[in-house]
Amino acid sequence: IKEKYGSNYNIFESAISEKFKAMLTMESELRKALKDGQFELHYQPQKNLNSDEIVGMEALLRWKHPLKGYIPPDDFIGLAEKTGLIIDIGDWVLQEACRQNKAWQDKGFQPVVVGVNLSAKQLYQRELVGKVKKILDETGLAPGYLELEITETMAMTNEENILETIQCLRQLGVMVSIDDFGTGYSSFKYLSVFPVTKLKIDKMFINENREQNQAIVKSIIHMSHSLNMKVIAEGVETVDQLRFLTDEACDEMQGFYFSKPLPPEKLTKLL
Ligand code: C2E
Ligand code: CA
Ligand code: CA
Ligand code: CA
């Protein structure tokens, strides 16, 4: 390569090592963040379109870096997954979301379901069900107030224990939803076999102005209901989108039109 690219090679080489160095730095910073308590959860409320009440909220991870300020999850979840750190971070998220939700219930706020995003590595670990049970026992949160969000791609794998994992979680009484629905490879066969409770229609179908999107959204809503699942639309940004979803009998909505993800002290003002 060196001969072919001549002096450009050095630029190439240093670009790679810069990137690699940045990754190593971030990896050690992520470890430190977990140890020093730099992670926070923000919560985005979810509204029932029939009753107009808040029925749930999604916990979304935020990293409050001491120098760089808030770093969004898309900038570090990938690396956390690659390095396996996502397991420890994910344990913290689960624990914190359950603790917070129970604390709100104890204070007398109306009870809502808290949604927690799982990464593939978390879903595939053998101890997952045991961990979830332990966290529910320790925090005292009733299992029906926890919803685990997995993606289609994570569910539709050949890993044979996935179906069993989901069944065990459901037996505990925990809710399981399919996130970003419509962007992965779902098969009707899997959907009817997995005991999931809710589909989350990906925001792309809701807020990208393409002609086919409304037809797609309608059919996802109808399909969910035929399979006895609830359905929520993500990324609702305008009143027109909200009206369309209400007309089509979508169960719930989440999006900037109603509220951005909020830090805990702001979220309680809506409850
Ligand atoms: P996601 O699970 O699909 O989460 C929804 C994302 O859409 C959030 O971005 C949210 O802020 C954003 N959003 C909500 N309403 C609207 C809207 O009306 N319009 C638009 N354009 N966006 C909206 P966020 O918080 O940056 O999270 C990005 C992704 O990071 C999440 O996508 C999820 O895949 C991942 N993530 C977040 N927290 C966790 C976590 O605790 N664990 C894991 N494994 N992944 C997480
Ligand atoms: Ca999600
Ligand atoms: Ca999503
Ligand atoms: Ca996502």
Side-chain angles (χ1 to χ4, degrees), residues 16 21 58 64 72 79-80 98 104 116 121 133 148 155 157 159 172 199 206 209 224 237 239 242 244 257 270:
I16 289 180
K21 261 192 264 166
E58 178 172 3
K64 200 174 180 183
L79 184 67
C98 292
W104 280 330
V116 171
K121 280 228 169 92
K133 184 168 182 346
L148 298 176
T157 120
E159 302 257 342
L172 278 183
L199 295 185
I206 307 298
N209 219 349
S224 309
E237 294 181 352
V239 69
L242 176 64
F244 170 74
Y257 178 71
L270 295 177

Side-chain angles (χ1 to χ4, degrees), residues 58-60 116-117 149 179-180 200 234 254:
E58 178 172 3
L60 293 158
V116 171
N117 291 286
E149 300 189 3
D179 200 3
D180 302 344
K200 302 193 74 180
E234 288 194 284
Q254 174 182 348

Side-chain angles (χ1 to χ4, degrees), residues 41 44 58-62 72-74 77 81 86 90 93 116-119 122 149 179-180 200 202-203 207 234-237 254-257 259 261:
L41 292 182
Q44 187 175 34
E58 178 172 3
L60 293 158
L61 187 59
R62 300 289 180 263
D74 284 333
I77 294 276
E81 272 167 357
I86 194 67
V93 172
V116 171
N117 291 286
L118 285 191
S119 82
Q122 283 177 282
E149 300 189 3
D179 200 3
D180 302 344
K200 302 193 74 180
D202 192 79
K203 54 177 174 290
N207 62 32
E234 288 194 284
V236 179
E237 294 181 352
Q254 174 182 348
F256 295 166
Y257 178 71
S259 171

Side-chain angles (χ1 to χ4, degrees), residues 28 40 68 77 80 100 139 160 168 178 211 223 229 243 257 269:
S28 68
E40 292 175 9
K68 297 174 201 153
I77 294 276
Q100 178 68 86
T139 58
E160 26 178 291
C168 289
I178 307 260
E211 214 182 301
M223 181 188 66
M229 294 178 206
R243 281 200 194 114
Y257 178 71
K269 299 213 171 88

